[in-house]
Amino acid sequence: MFLKQVLIQAMDLGKMMLISGAGVSRVEDTIERICLAYGAREVEAFTITSSIVVTVTTEDGDVFTQTKRIKYYKTDFHKLDRLNDLSRYVCREKPDITYLEEKLSDIRQEHIYSLPVQCLIASLIAGTFAVFFGGGFVEGIIGAVCGAAVWWLMACLQKLDSNIMFSDFAAAFMVATIAYILAHLGATRDYGTIIIGNIMLLVPGVAFVNSIRDIIGGDVMAGMIRLCEVVVTAVFLAAGSFTALVLWGGIL
């Protein structure tokens, strides 16, 4: 019974790590180490981008399995760093299981930046990318405003538990719509750099790097699944922008 409680908390920690941007091999290794530290005889963990399955064998020969479903991702390296520190401490000191539960609850509820601050950061990134890709001062300002709007829209859609692909499509559609209409009104002549600068906010770069790392590390299935998700996300981003340009190009 005690090991079941340990496994539940270990899988919660692993799930939070995977959502925050950890690779599957790191998640599996963390769960295995925690369970072994608390007396498991054997631990078999299998992780892909959408689920975690762990089977634990106790010293008495009892076997039990737990599964966790992963439905969304939100890259957060600060939270990932805290989870890594917690897992190392747990394996080294073996504190009471309630300690692990309380710490996980604290990390889960922690928010470093409020939504307005996140929107401000997104606007700076989008505006900078718009200039980097060839836009001028005006394109940078418009890109910054669009970046804040994109981040606010993504936050709202996440609260509504919207499908991530639909969210990406809607965000790309909104950016392309704003950029094209402003270009039509004469506010800017290079709406492409505005669109690209904001699309960079949504490109899943961490997921792409993790997919390649997983494949190289031998987790081919997990890596290929994650890579497919990256490609599909890119398709939806492109489709959102293309749809807006075709729609407004035909109307205006």
Side-chain angles (χ1 to χ4, degrees):
M1 187 65 182
F2 174 71
L3 268 178
K4 287 185 178 180
Q5 295 176 344
V6 171
L7 177 58
I8 290 172
Q9 299 305 320
M11 291 190 69
D12 279 343
L13 191 151
K15 178 180 178 179
M16 292 170 63
M17 289 179 64
L18 192 61
I19 290 172
S20 299
V24 296
S25 59
R26 186 59 178 271
V27 173
E28 292 173 351
D29 183 64
T30 298
I31 295 174
E32 290 174 1
R33 287 177 181 272
I34 292 175
C35 292
L36 291 172
Y38 281 90
R41 188 176 73 188
E42 184 178 359
V43 183
E44 294 291 342
F46 176 72
T47 304
I48 56 177
T49 56
S50 58
S51 67
I52 303 173
V53 182
V54 182
T55 298
V56 173
T57 303
T58 68
E59 290 293 344
D60 297 329
D62 296 329
V63 179
F64 48 89
T65 301
Q66 293 281 346
T67 302
K68 282 287 184 181
R69 182 76 167 84
I70 312 298
K71 295 183 178 180
Y72 69 96
Y73 297 95
K74 186 176 182 180
T75 302
D76 188 335
F77 289 135
H78 175 76
K79 183 175 292 185
L80 181 58
D81 181 62
R82 290 201 60 190
L83 291 168
N84 284 329
D85 288 342
L86 177 60
S87 66
R88 294 188 185 98
Y89 176 82
V90 168
C91 291
R92 183 176 64 251
E93 302 295 336
K94 304 179 184 63
D96 187 80
I97 195 63
T98 56
Y99 173 86
L100 177 57
E101 184 177 0
E102 292 171 358
K103 286 296 183 180
L104 287 177
S105 179
D106 291 341
I107 295 173
R108 185 182 293 109
Q109 297 173 10
E110 181 183 46
H111 298 284
I112 302 178
Y113 303 114
S114 63
L115 180 58
V117 174
Q118 293 180 34
C119 290
L120 176 61
I121 295 172
S123 69
L124 293 174
I125 295 173
T128 302
F129 270 121
V131 174
F132 176 80
F133 285 109
F137 178 77
V138 173
E139 286 75 24
I141 296 298
I142 297 174
V145 174
C146 289
V150 164
W151 207 258
W152 176 82
L153 176 63
M154 295 294 286
C156 292
L157 291 174
Q158 184 177 352
K159 289 182 179 179
L160 296 174
D161 199 24
S162 174
N163 181 278
I164 185 63
M165 299 304 172
F166 172 78
S167 299
D168 289 335
F169 180 92
F173 182 89
M174 183 186 72
V175 170
T177 295
I178 296 173
Y180 187 83
I181 291 177
L182 288 177
H184 183 75
L185 295 175
T188 178
R189 285 183 287 180
D190 191 2
Y191 59 84
T193 56
I194 299 172
I195 296 174
I196 295 173
N198 280 271
I199 291 299
M200 292 300 293
L201 283 173
L202 307 173
V203 172
V206 174
F208 175 74
V209 172
N210 281 341
S211 69
I212 300 301
R213 184 175 63 183
D214 291 339
I215 293 173
I216 294 174
D219 295 308
V220 178
M221 181 183 295
M224 290 302 297
I225 292 174
R226 196 187 296 266
L227 184 60
C228 288
E229 290 179 355
V230 171
V231 173
V232 172
T233 299
V235 169
F236 271 81
L237 291 174
S241 302
F242 180 76
T243 302
L245 294 178
V246 171
L247 176 64
W248 297 113
I251 295 176
L252 301 178

